[in-house]
Amino acid sequence: MTTAIHPSMAETARAFGVHSEVGKLRKVMLHRPDLELKRLTPGNHDELLFDDVLWVRRARQQHDAFADLLRERGIEVVYLEELLAGALASPEARKWVLDRAVTPFTVGAGVADDARAYLDTVDARTLADHLVGGLTVQEAEQLLRGRGVQEVGGGQVARRSLVVSAMEPDDFVLRPLPNSYFTRDSSAWIYGGVVVNPMYWPARRLEALNVEAIYRFHPDFAGAGFPFWYSREQEGESFGRVSSEGGDIMPIGNRTVAIGMSERTTGQMIEKIARSLFEAGAADRVIAAGMSRDRAHMHLDTVFTFLDRDAVTVFPKVVASITAYSVRPGDGAGTFDVRREPSFLGAVKDALGLRTLRVIETGGDRWESEREQWDDGNNVVALEPGVVLAYERNEYTNSLMRHAGIEVLTIDGSELGRGRGGGHCMTCPIVRDPV
């Protein structure tokens, strides 16, 4: 599904790194909606962090149009599940993932050995499908029968697993990961390295395991020499006690990173990222944007994204209330200099050395602007300076951006947007130029 690239582009793609929010986007990771969204129902969508169920076929069509538009602009598109399957072709990778995803603590002691034995034998693509799309009790029963276990009755595994016996046939031994198509969140490339995010909600934490497997074991990434600013493997048991998600993390350029201190990204995690960046000399400043906790603006990028070198779109009701702090290296090793900023937008302008920062607010009257913020009007992704991709439904905001000289490309997001994320959320940039 990816297009051939010129050898010089292939060499560039090896130099992984994201050096701005608006420089030319060269390589991006997406996830095409699939089985995991088919398993989203009115009964489980809250637990899986969705407000509604999606028409999956239409969502896939819209996502394909999104990917095609990226390719038309010269961007290399790679897919998470294909990369994961490529990584899992390695026995070492398969063991690494299953040692962490299928244990007595994740699926229960009674079924862990049998689930592990089954998943150890399937091909890499099927394993990737289960790691993203989930494994049901019914599927677990089938694999137990296949291993000669006879104590199965009444549609449940009897005398074998308390966990599974207490479930219905369509309950999940391994939960699906329907948020996987928001590839921005599970990892974030910051300049020349990557953060594998310890995600806030348990329903999303295995997403980070999948992307870390890709970065550690897929032939395109293994041995490439980039640093992990934070990862599960490095932090071990502390993983999950702090949290961050990529929708809050923006390497805005000029050796500065803006990070939302939001519902899902903690101050403790911002300090961990800052310390890693400072110790490596990769950044000089982190702007922490303190936000209120609200489902309508769970990440910084739901209320603030870049359009051009000197232009941003914002939802003013939230951005005006952000309490911003600049974090810089302190006088001693491993220490910080933390200073409160008069305003978040002022701190961004100062960090980028701009005389003025053009601010395009969410369009429409009070009701229209709230609707368009909810529908990801401010969650656009820049393909290059002054060129962004947005949902066509946000007519008022798109019109204001065009009047400001921004080229706005649009797709139908009527189904994709039901997951509460736009183009910025659906893209994990892997290679992006500085500006």
Side-chain angles (χ1 to χ4, degrees), residues 117-249:
Y118 163 72
L119 294 170
D120 266 331
T121 61
V122 299
D123 62 84
R125 185 54 191 252
T126 301
L127 177 55
D129 288 345
H130 280 307
L131 289 171
V132 178
L135 179 70
T136 68
V137 169
Q138 191 170 44
E139 290 165 343
E141 289 175 341
Q142 291 170 351
L143 70 90
L144 285 170
R145 289 191 190 101
R147 299 194 70 231
V149 178
Q150 300 301 318
E151 301 97 338
V152 178
Q156 294 182 339
V157 178
R159 302 181 189 173
R160 194 77 179 175
S161 169
L162 170 63
V163 174
V164 175
S165 293
M167 292 179 174
E168 296 298 323
D170 289 333
D171 286 344
F172 297 106
V173 178
L174 280 178
R175 286 194 292 190
L177 304 176
N179 291 280
S180 290
Y181 79 94
F182 298 129
T183 55
R184 173 78 53 165
D185 291 335
S186 51
S187 66
W189 288 84
I190 305 174
Y191 300 114
V194 68
V195 171
V196 178
N197 288 302
M199 306 183 80
Y200 181 71
W201 291 105
R204 298 199 67 181
R205 288 178 189 159
L206 285 180
E207 293 176 48
L209 181 69
N210 289 340
V211 296
E212 184 161 354
I214 291 168
Y215 297 148
R216 290 194 178 278
F217 299 104
H218 191 280
D220 287 354
F221 294 89
F226 55 83
F228 286 83
W229 304 131
Y230 185 93
S231 77
R232 176 190 186 110
E233 191 74 351
Q234 291 168 335
E235 296 296 328
E237 301 222 350
S238 70
F239 191 89
R241 295 179 186 172
V242 293
S243 64
S244 62
E245 298 187 3
D248 282 316
I249 299 172

Side-chain angles (χ1 to χ4, degrees), residues 86 95 121 141 145 194 202 261 276 286 344 361:
K95 181 178 186 304
T121 61
E141 289 175 341
R145 289 191 190 101
V194 68
M261 191 159 55
S276 293
V286 170
F344 171 64
E361 297 183 350

Side-chain angles (χ1 to χ4, degrees), residues 248 257-267 270 286-294 297-300 303-304 315-327 338-345 347-348:
D248 282 316
V257 184
I259 305 181
M261 191 159 55
S262 67
E263 178 195 43
R264 303 190 183 190
T265 299
T266 63
I270 295 174
V286 170
I287 301 171
M291 301 167 60
S292 60
R293 298 188 172 203
D294 192 304
H297 50 269
M298 69 191 84
H299 295 135
L300 179 61
V303 295
F304 169 86
F315 183 53
K317 181 179 177 181
V318 174
V319 172
S321 68
I322 287 175
T323 302
Y325 301 87
S326 281
V327 183
V338 181
R339 305 197 181 192
R340 182 166 174 168
E341 296 284 354
S343 74
F344 171 64
L345 294 179
V348 169

Side-chain angles (χ1 to χ4, degrees), residues 312-382:
V312 297
T313 180
V314 307
F315 183 53
K317 181 179 177 181
V318 174
V319 172
S321 68
I322 287 175
T323 302
Y325 301 87
S326 281
V327 183
R328 297 180 176 88
D331 293 333
T335 64
F336 299 123
D337 180 340
V338 181
R339 305 197 181 192
R340 182 166 174 168
E341 296 284 354
S343 74
F344 171 64
L345 294 179
V348 169
K349 182 178 74 169
D350 175 68
L352 296 179
L354 298 172
R355 282 188 168 184
T356 58
L357 181 67
R358 293 185 290 149
V359 178
I360 293 85
E361 297 183 350
T362 321
D365 59 25
R366 171 190 164 191
W367 298 278
E368 291 158 349
S369 66
E370 288 198 18
R371 284 169 56 87
E372 294 209 353
Q373 187 276 325
W374 179 253
D375 288 331
D376 306 297
N378 305 111
N379 189 262
V380 300
V381 60

